[in-house]
Amino acid sequence: MSKTLYEKIWDGHVAAALPGGDTLLYIDRHLVHEVTSAQAFDGLRLHGRGVRRPDLTFATADHNVPTAGDRLHVEDLLSRTQITTLQRNCAEFGIEYYGMESDRQGIVHVIGPELGLTLPGQTIVCGDSHTSTHGAFGSLAFGIGTSEVEHVLATQTLRTTRSRTFAVEVEGALPVGVTAKDVILRVIRDIGAGGATGHVIEYRGSTIRSLDMAGRMTICNMSIEGGARAGLIAPDDTTFAYVAEGNRPFAPRGAALEAAIERWRTLVTDAGAAFDKTYRLDAAQLLPQVTWGTSPAMTTDVTGRVPQPDEVAFVNPQDVERAIAYMGLRAGQPIEEITVDVVFIGSCTNSRIEDLRAAARILEGRRVAAGVQVLVVPGSHQVQVAAEAEGLDRIFTAAGCEWRYAGCSMCLGMNPDQLRPQQRSASTSNRNFEGRQGPGGRTHLVSPEMAAAAAVAGHFVDVRAL
Amino acid sequence: MEAFVRHRGRCLLLDRANVDTDAIIPARFLKKIDRVGFGELLFMDVKQKDGVPVPDFPLNRPEAEGATILVARQNFGCGSSREHAVWAISQWGFRAVVAPQGGTSPGFADIFRNNSYKNGFLPVEVSETFADRLFAAGGGEVTVDLEKRTVTAHLPDGDVTETFPVPDGARRMLLEGLDEIGLSLHHVEAITAYEQARWEPGVMQV
């Protein structure tokens, strides 16, 4: 029988099919960070349980870590406690931990691929909704809650049910200045913030095939913003080349890699396999996207305007009005007239070396507009080192940006990097919810190129015109 | 886990769609390392601005007192995986959230739904008509019966009942208040057998 990629990975990981429809799905990689794990480790101790496979479990500190000053000294007591608690839990249960002193530290969804932990065909979970990022490798990867983290720690399985399947097909060449970020923002704008709930998306088509791994990760990363359980892209030569390259200590090498690639080539949706839902997008028609509201689905073209309350699909007028008011905008206002106070280039969506290069191309030889603060936050220590070796840090600082240490930073403002009330950002992150980047802060999601262009202009501007 | 069999309570109406987990519990409150004390932080940045309570926000209104069922619009709990969102709502005093399927969107985001089941807290997905009637009536009492999988709005012009979806496995756990991990560990032989046949492509020495 023909199967989708999702069904193949699922079927290969059923440890037990339970009466009542639940499955114990075996987990190949369990990634852990400081914010959603402490209560899970406490639960294990409370019941006298251990970690079944510490060798398949990897932890890092990312959400709380400072990105400026002496990064080994976390000033905030609660943040420091949370980080040292993770460190202690990892030591107690024999789990590999990459703290701030480690050259492997970084945002969990950046270091997984970078270290070769993320490989095609795997099941990967983490107490973090953006775990969908790893689906770019053709692995089934999704976020779980703390109770589920505890379940995976204790059993190396997740008790779960099968999702429905959703094909997102993107065809055609991306116009100049239009990126993977614009593709995924447009998809979410079209399907709605809950449009893929209950589904696993497989991204397909020539546009997706032509993307590098960084672009594929950006797309899979934001699957959750359309409600999807996970996002998948079938692995191909681009994927295998990424796994084979450079220093990825946990990736197979030599004959083991050759054998693995032979198996990974079967990780495709069979001809004739049916999806429960399909959505198609013509990439050639795409423009740079900017969110104007408080949901990632509240997005429009950079050449567009803030909509009228009755113009938005899937959102009732009263919610649109509330969003426009929160954002301090008016209906009908041209996007390019919106000025920004802060530009954030970073997050698990867009903090890889390719993202930083894209931003640097725009900023090279230019200056950040007066009064605009620009934070450039690499996704990992290794991204930071690579960027500095290429001189990207000097391009950023010469333009007037702040070059920071790796972490989640202003994506969610758990560390000191926060918007002040009513401050407005152009952000390469993934969520523009009310208060996401700091209480009262106003977030517009864009690509790294568009963020850099806004930094230079002081307002949103069509990067194609620069 | 606390069992959930049947609950009748007064509802509190929150007429918003896409209520996200950052609204339910802002990230800066996720630094705690225990599971308690989240109730008072529920909707903190929505219920007050610059330290001043927003008077017309439902949680600040007199009818919030004693309400045990929250009623909202579609895609409730979207966003982050933080289980703290469920802890905050249930520790505030709610036993269930009712939200309608509407447009292309289900009532609840997947991770929020799963997290709810693990905490003896029930996400109840209803039809838009059902939710509209509750909003039109300005609230009232609702009974959630997990045994029968039914939800009933006790409205001035009579009761309205419909069924709601809940996976069999989650329903059994909730009805009996079972320790899910303990039950899964009964299948340790199957897990071991899976592991013995499992292929590991990576080089797993650290």
Side-chain angles (χ1 to χ4, degrees):
Chain A
M1 204 188 99
S2 302
K3 284 183 184 180
T4 63
L5 171 56
Y6 168 65
E7 289 156 349
K8 288 182 182 179
I9 300 174
W10 175 280
D11 290 347
H13 287 83
V14 175
L18 308 181
D22 281 354
T23 292
L24 289 183
L25 193 71
Y26 198 82
I27 301 303
D28 293 316
R29 298 284 184 273
H30 186 187
L31 308 176
V32 174
H33 66 74
E34 76 274 22
V35 179
T36 55
S37 61
Q39 294 89 345
F41 286 110
D42 277 347
L44 291 181
R45 276 188 289 267
L46 188 68
H47 293 93
R49 293 171 179 146
V51 174
R52 181 175 178 86
R53 293 298 299 267
D55 59 321
L56 302 181
T57 311
F58 295 83
T60 191
D62 54 5
H63 283 62
N64 276 276
V65 301
T67 61
D70 175 7
R71 67 195 304 255
L72 294 182
H73 178 71
V74 183
E75 220 152 282
D76 184 283
L77 174 65
L78 290 175
S79 290
R80 191 165 69 233
T81 304
Q82 200 162 52
I83 293 167
T84 52
T85 301
L86 176 61
Q87 189 172 15
R88 209 182 52 237
N89 282 329
C90 289
E92 179 181 340
F93 290 98
I95 294 167
E96 184 80 350
Y97 168 69
Y98 305 132
M100 284 167 291
E101 63 293 337
S102 167
D103 62 3
R104 293 179 177 181
Q105 181 268 343
I107 304 175
V108 64
H109 309 309
V110 175
I111 68 167
E114 195 173 75
L115 296 174
L117 288 168
T118 302
L119 296 171
Q122 292 179 323
T123 49
I124 302 175
V125 295
C126 174
D128 193 287
S129 60
H130 292 110
T131 308
S132 59
T133 311
H134 308 264
F137 290 79
S139 32
L140 176 59
F142 49 89
I144 56 177
T146 297
S147 295
E148 292 177 315
V149 168
E150 185 180 338
H151 191 285
V152 177
L153 288 171
T155 69
Q156 201 56 31
T157 67
L158 186 69
R159 186 181 276 260
T160 186
T161 53
R162 197 188 272 246
S163 300
R164 293 186 293 277
T165 54
F166 192 157
V168 168
E169 295 179 355
V170 192
E171 292 288 349
L174 284 174
V176 173
V178 178
T179 67
K181 184 65 166 283
D182 302 301
V183 170
I184 189 61
L185 283 172
R186 179 71 208 220
V187 169
I188 297 161
R189 166 183 169 182
D190 288 354
I191 68 173
T197 303
H199 293 74
V200 167
I201 294 176
E202 182 181 335
Y203 299 96
R204 304 157 58 82
S206 60
T207 315
I208 304 295
R209 297 257 74 83
S210 70
L211 291 173
D212 62 15
M213 290 312 294
R216 295 181 187 188
M217 285 190 257
T218 298
I219 287 186
C220 288
N221 171 275
M222 289 191 70
S223 302
I224 181 73
E225 313 314 334
R229 195 80 180 93
L232 284 170
I233 295 173
D236 58 11
D237 288 336
T238 302
T239 323
F240 308 143
Y242 178 100
V243 172
E245 89 190 13
N247 176 31
R248 309 205 186 287
F250 297 104
R253 287 291 177 254
L257 178 60
E258 294 305 312
I261 289 173
E262 281 314 298
R263 291 180 69 139
W264 292 339
R265 286 193 193 282
T266 65
L267 294 170
V268 290
T269 290
D270 296 329
F275 290 88
D276 294 308
K277 220 168 164 178
T278 299
Y279 158 89
R280 290 188 180 84
L281 179 66
D282 176 5
Q285 303 301 316
L286 210 52
L287 300 179
Q289 303 289 297
V290 181
T291 68
W292 51 265
T294 54
S295 156
M298 294 175 171
T299 295
T300 192
D301 300 339
V302 64
T303 54
R305 293 166 179 271
V306 178
Q308 301 295 329
D310 58 356
E311 284 179 347
V312 185
F314 313 127
V315 188
N316 69 45
Q318 144 203 338
D319 286 337
V320 174
E321 274 178 45
R322 186 185 297 113
I324 292 174
Y326 177 85
M327 293 297 290
L329 302 171
R330 55 184 165 74
Q333 189 173 356
I335 295 296
E336 294 198 66
E337 283 182 11
I338 301 172
T339 58
V340 300
D341 307 303
V342 176
V343 173
F344 171 61
I345 298 171
S347 88
C348 57
T349 313
N350 282 123
S351 64
R352 297 175 183 83
I353 189 72
E354 294 84 350
D355 300 311
L356 301 188
R357 284 177 192 144
R361 272 195 297 275
I362 305 292
L363 286 159
E364 186 159 23
R366 293 191 168 103
R367 284 290 300 173
V368 169
V372 177
Q373 183 192 17
V374 184
L375 269 63
V376 186
V377 186
S380 70
H381 183 78
Q382 293 200 19
V383 170
Q384 182 197 333
V385 169
E388 288 172 358
E390 292 179 20
L392 300 185
D393 59 322
R394 292 189 294 282
I395 293 174
F396 292 130
T397 50
C401 309
E402 297 171 33
W403 175 243
R404 298 292 190 92
Y405 296 116
C408 297
S409 182
M410 196 183 269
C411 175
L412 83 170
M414 280 195 78
N415 76 348
D417 307 337
Q418 297 184 16
L419 292 181
R420 294 195 304 274
Q422 282 82 56
Q423 266 195 328
R424 185 183 302 285
S425 77
S427 178
T428 67
S429 55
N430 40 59
R431 287 190 177 132
N432 52 351
F433 298 154
E434 284 189 24
R436 169 78 177 181
Q437 296 188 293
R442 295 161 172 167
T443 303
H444 297 267
L445 305 176
V446 288
S447 70
E449 288 87 336
M450 283 287 290
V456 171
H459 56 87
F460 290 104
V461 60
D462 189 339
V463 67
R464 299 169 304 165
L466 270 191
Chain B
M1 182 181 77
E2 190 183 353
F4 189 113
V5 180
R6 186 173 178 279
H7 174 77
R8 178 172 175 152
R10 197 157 47 72
C11 54
L12 185 69
L13 304 178
L14 178 62
D15 194 0
R16 294 185 184 197
N18 300 313
V19 173
D20 61 74
T21 53
D22 279 83
I24 297 169
I25 180 97
R28 66 183 185 282
F29 298 132
L30 310 185
K31 296 179 184 179
K32 287 156 58 59
I33 55 169
D34 54 15
R35 284 176 182 253
V36 297
F38 290 99
E40 65 208 58
L41 305 172
L42 177 63
F43 288 117
M44 182 55 87
D45 291 345
V46 193
K47 74 181 175 191
Q48 61 178 49
K49 297 281 180 213
D50 307 320
V52 181
V54 176
D56 63 348
F57 186 69
L59 274 191
N60 293 332
R61 296 179 57 82
E63 61 263 32
E65 182 68 36
T68 56
I69 295 174
L70 186 64
V71 184
R73 299 291 187 178
Q74 73 268 18
N75 202 25
F76 188 91
C78 61
S80 124
S81 66
R82 59 189 73 164
E83 196 161 317
H84 312 65
V86 175
W87 299 338
I89 298 180
S90 60
Q91 287 168 20
W92 190 89
F94 292 112
R95 295 296 318 276
V97 183
V98 172
Q101 186 179 26
T104 62
S105 176
F108 298 93
D110 290 329
I111 308 179
F112 181 87
R113 180 194 290 267
N114 289 339
N115 287 342
S116 297
Y117 295 143
K118 316 291 181 195
N119 286 276
F121 180 82
L122 209 59
V124 181
E125 185 179 82
V126 297
S127 66
E128 265 191 307
T129 324
F130 187 97
D132 285 345
R133 291 192 66 172
L134 269 173
F135 279 103
E141 296 215 333
V142 166
T143 299
V144 180
D145 190 329
L146 181 59
E147 185 89 62
K148 295 186 189 150
R149 300 174 196 252
T150 58
V151 54
T152 302
H154 306 288
L155 298 169
D157 50 348
D159 287 359
V160 183
T161 297
E162 60 180 49
T163 58
F164 63 91
V166 54
D168 291 338
R171 177 171 166 271
R172 184 173 153 241
M173 296 285 169
L174 282 161
L175 284 173
E176 300 179 32
L178 298 172
D179 166 22
E180 191 179 84
I181 297 174
L183 285 183
S184 294
L185 286 171
H186 289 318
H187 300 278
V188 71
E189 281 177 22
I191 297 171
T192 304
Y194 179 90
E195 281 175 335
Q196 283 164 353
R198 178 176 170 270
W199 172 63
E200 173 59 72
V203 183
M204 295 312 290
Q205 66 265 23
V206 170

